Amino acid sequence: MKKIFFSALTFFIISCQDEKKEPEIIPTTETSKALPEFAYPVDRSHWNIGDPGNTKLVLDMYHAWDANDANGVAGFFADSASMDMPDARRLILNKDNVYEKFSKGRKQYANAVNKIISAISLHNNDYDEDWVQILTYNKWSYQDGVKDSSLYFDNWRLKNGKINYLNSLEQKPPRQLLKTLENK
């Protein structure tokens, strides 16, 4: 009887030790510094690093644009969205016109290529908003073969995993920066 008991106990102990444990995840708390007094009022001053999944979502949208997939681009947008463009136009998008707007806009280009320089997801605590900021060097060719390029700083706001706002700023890259961008 003792042999059976010790055999069962040994088997139990060994089987318990073979169990693979998940690594313990210890939550870390960000230590936030008190903000200094700024010389100007700042509307959105309390930021944290956001969800990297939001960055992936926006980069996937750029990829769909470059691949001439207007339907794919449209799928990243909320049922209602607005886009403030560099030329001071505001585009209002809704579920009924988003595909049409992107399809029409993309048809003017024979090709487009974004070279992403930086991409970061941020969360604003003041308004409980998720943003992705992208700095990209965009090169494109029109249907008539004319080529052009520009540097864009795009601020994307997301809600519930969908894009609902864009503020886009454009700059022609200075000659020295252009050399750097073209050589990488």
Side-chain angles (χ1 to χ4, degrees), residues 74-89:
F76 290 101
F77 283 80
D79 287 347
S80 175
S82 59
M83 299 173 61
D84 290 335
M85 306 307 289
D87 61 1
R89 286 179 303 131

Side-chain angles (χ1 to χ4, degrees), residues 36-183:
E37 189 172 321
F38 297 128
Y40 293 94
V42 178
D43 185 53
R44 289 169 170 80
S45 58
H46 297 89
W47 294 91
N48 291 330
I49 296 297
D51 180 356
N54 289 339
T55 304
K56 181 183 181 337
L57 183 140
V58 173
L59 291 176
D60 287 349
M61 189 275 312
Y62 278 94
H63 186 266
W65 176 263
D66 289 351
N68 199 9
D69 181 4
N71 195 43
V73 173
F76 290 101
F77 283 80
D79 287 347
S80 175
S82 59
M83 299 173 61
D84 290 335
M85 306 307 289
D87 61 1
R89 286 179 303 131
R90 174 170 270 195
L91 302 176
I92 303 297
L93 306 173
N94 60 54
K95 63 182 178 180
D96 296 326
N97 73 2
V98 66
Y99 170 79
E100 174 191 324
K101 294 235 185 210
F102 284 116
S103 179
K104 183 180 178 183
R106 185 59 175 84
K107 282 182 182 175
Q108 65 184 322
Y109 305 109
N111 64 45
V113 177
N114 279 282
K115 181 176 187 174
I116 306 299
I117 298 166
S118 69
I120 187 166
S121 176
L122 297 169
H123 180 79
N124 179 262
N125 297 325
D126 299 313
Y127 291 91
D128 192 27
E129 293 175 334
D130 292 309
W131 291 84
V132 174
Q133 295 183 331
I134 305 284
L135 179 61
T136 183
Y137 174 55
N138 183 252
K139 294 174 22 173
W140 62 91
S141 298
Y142 293 100
Q143 294 295 348
D144 64 3
V146 174
K147 295 180 180 186
D148 205 352
S149 65
S150 209
L151 198 60
Y152 290 91
F153 185 70
D154 293 336
N155 293 292
W156 301 92
R157 186 178 62 206
L158 293 90
K159 187 169 186 172
N160 299 323
K162 296 285 188 172
I163 297 167
N164 69 355
Y165 177 72
L166 164 68
N167 173 268
S168 183
L169 307 171
E170 178 184 18
Q171 175 185 345
K172 288 293 180 190
R175 188 171 289 134
Q176 191 60 36
L177 178 59
L178 188 58
K179 286 180 188 177
T180 302
L181 293 170
E182 291 291 342
N183 290 328

